[in-house]
Amino acid sequence: MEAVIAMDAPASAQAPGSGLADLPLRTDAWVQGLHMEAAAHDGDLLLRLLEIGFLPGERVRVVARSFPGGDPLAVRVGRSTFALRRREAALVRIGTTPPQGALT
């Protein structure tokens, strides 16, 4: 099963390696969409990410990584901070340029 939820964005914003898990610490980025290539039972994970605020156009930032393996990550989306496993964060596709009309 493959699920993709994305806003209108250039293909370059969806380039490989543009997952939230790869974002350097304290770097602003914006959610471009969610991408999942997984079994049907992972659909709940996609829904959870949407419910906690990983929506297209939202500003995100990795604020901390666990030592030594970097899993989980502390991620700020909007005004809330969540702990996500690297696998979960990799499903969030990001871009480093704000979407048109976004407040910076």
Side-chain angles (χ1 to χ4, degrees):
M1 174 183 165
E2 180 178 322
V4 176
I5 299 173
M7 59 191 284
D8 294 328
S12 61
Q14 301 284 340
S18 63
L20 182 58
D22 300 320
L23 186 67
L25 286 176
R26 296 174 293 283
T27 302
D28 284 336
W30 286 263
V31 176
Q32 298 293 319
L34 299 177
H35 180 74
M36 183 184 306
E37 294 176 9
H41 67 274
D42 282 337
D44 290 340
L45 176 57
L46 180 63
L47 181 60
R48 177 178 163 251
L49 290 170
L50 288 170
E51 288 175 342
I52 62 177
F54 290 95
L55 301 169
E58 284 293 324
R59 185 185 306 218
V60 293
R61 173 185 281 213
V62 176
V63 294
R65 286 189 168 87
S66 179
F67 183 78
D71 196 14
L73 306 130
V75 178
R76 187 150 181 89
V77 59
R79 296 183 180 193
S80 302
T81 304
F82 298 95
L84 294 179
R85 296 188 188 284
R86 288 188 60 80
R87 178 182 168 284
E88 297 168 336
L91 299 176
V92 180
R93 296 292 170 223
I94 57 165
T96 54
T97 56
Q100 286 184 319
L103 298 174
T104 55

